[in-house]
């Protein structure tokens, strides 16, 4: 029987049962963020649909030299289908797209030490679909450029400076001091420049498949557990290096819409 690597937020009871009802061990299995999201959901607090990949999956991935544990991706896809049912949206569907965030979440808080990718599921077609749905070109292209920038730096190892230089150039051209003052036309052009930065520096095309984006983001979050920032933080805070991180995949909500 394949090990359970993935728990949706409404499976917190199952996670608790798997570790004998000990809440400290639930936090160890799901990470603090995943455990708390599951508990909030159980209490009836409105939480966007999502799922957590266990810290055990992270440790197994690292032990396997960067290969996902057997059955993990299939379980993640099943959980993704559950998110689609709950939201009435579909991952990668331009007509009604589900977008997700992919965040780390260890047993003990390590703020800013590990990686996050937002707006996963966007590509050229989905962005156009979002414009039709929202009537807001600026929002859609701003979200898309955020994904390319985060994905480029977090997943593909591109330095952040080339992206920031492009943003600074557009702010200067428009005579504004904040990205919030750029418009939809600006962000549409910035998206194309960001894709070229990825092409030039990572030597691959920015991935257009929503599922490829998600799988690569999950692996990047696992990898970030052993990144220098995270290891240095654990050394300073006295946190064990063998705990691993959970990965939380949650439906996107927007504060900049």
């Amino acid at each position: 029987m394949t090990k359970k690597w993935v728990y949706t937020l409404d499976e917190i009871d199952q996670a608790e049962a798997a570790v004998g009802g000990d809440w400290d061990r639930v936090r160890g299995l799901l990470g603090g963020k995943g455990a708390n999201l599951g508990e909030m959901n159980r209490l009836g607090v409105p939480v966007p649909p999502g799922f957590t990949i266990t810290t055990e999956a992270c440790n197994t991935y690292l032990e396997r030299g960067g290969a996902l544990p057997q059955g993990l991706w299939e379980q993640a896809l099943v959980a993704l289908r559950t998110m689609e049912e709950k939201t009435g949206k579909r991952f990668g569907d331009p007509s009604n797209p589900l977008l997700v965030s992919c965040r780390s979440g260890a047993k003990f808080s390590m703020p800013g030490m590990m990686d996050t990718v937002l707006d996963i599921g966007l590509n050229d077609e989905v962005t156009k679909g979002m414009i039709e749905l929202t009537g807001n070109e600026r929002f859609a292209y701003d979200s898309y450029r955020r994904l390319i920038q985060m994905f480029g730096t977090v997943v593909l190892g591109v330095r952040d400076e080339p992206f920031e230089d492009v943003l600074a150039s557009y702010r200067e051209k428009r005579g504004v001091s904040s990205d919030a003052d750029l418009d939809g036309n600006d962000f549409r052009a910035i998206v194309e420049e960001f894709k070229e930065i990825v092409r030039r520096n990572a030597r691959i095309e920015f991935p257009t498949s929503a599922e490829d984006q998600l799988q690569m983001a999950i692996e990047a979050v696992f990898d970030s557990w052993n990144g220098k920032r995270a290891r240095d933080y654990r050394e300073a805070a006295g946190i064990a290096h063998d705990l691993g991180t959970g990965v939380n995949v949650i439906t996107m909500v927007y504060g900049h819409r």
Side-chain angles (χ1 to χ4, degrees), residues 67-208:
L68 291 178
Q70 184 176 4
L72 185 154
W73 183 240
E74 291 75 15
Q75 291 178 28
L77 291 177
V78 170
L80 198 57
R81 301 291 91 84
T82 299
M83 290 172 69
E84 291 176 335
E85 292 169 9
K86 287 180 177 295
T87 61
K89 301 177 180 182
R90 289 191 62 80
F91 196 50
D93 180 0
S95 65
N96 192 20
L98 170 67
L99 304 180
V100 303
S101 61
C102 182
R103 302 174 184 269
S104 62
K107 180 178 182 180
F108 301 108
S109 178
M110 297 171 54
M113 295 300 109
M114 291 180 294
D115 288 330
T116 292
V117 183
L118 307 179
D119 298 312
I120 294 168
L122 282 172
N123 56 31
D124 291 355
E125 291 72 27
V126 172
T127 300
K128 290 173 185 172
M130 285 186 67
I131 294 169
E132 292 181 13
L133 283 170
T134 65
N136 192 332
E137 182 182 51
R138 186 195 179 284
F139 160 70
Y141 277 110
D142 183 26
S143 299
Y144 193 12
R145 71 92 187 168
R146 289 168 188 258
L147 169 63
I148 298 170
Q149 184 171 2
M150 280 189 147
F151 198 93
T153 56
V154 168
V155 180
L156 301 177
V158 178
R159 292 184 307 111
D160 197 44
E161 287 83 358
F163 298 110
E164 290 299 326
D165 287 346
V166 169
L167 290 169
S169 172
Y170 274 83
R171 291 195 301 269
E172 184 177 357
K173 273 194 286 188
R174 299 292 176 233
V176 299
S177 59
S178 170
D179 295 341
D181 295 317
L182 300 176
D183 63 21
N185 288 328
D186 294 324
F187 282 121
R188 183 171 65 245
I190 287 167
V191 160
E192 295 307 314
E193 294 200 36
F194 277 16
K195 286 193 285 189
E196 178 57 31
I197 289 170
V198 168
R199 190 179 298 118
R200 188 170 61 247
N201 289 275
R203 301 188 183 280
I204 66 167
E205 296 291 329
F206 176 76
T208 57

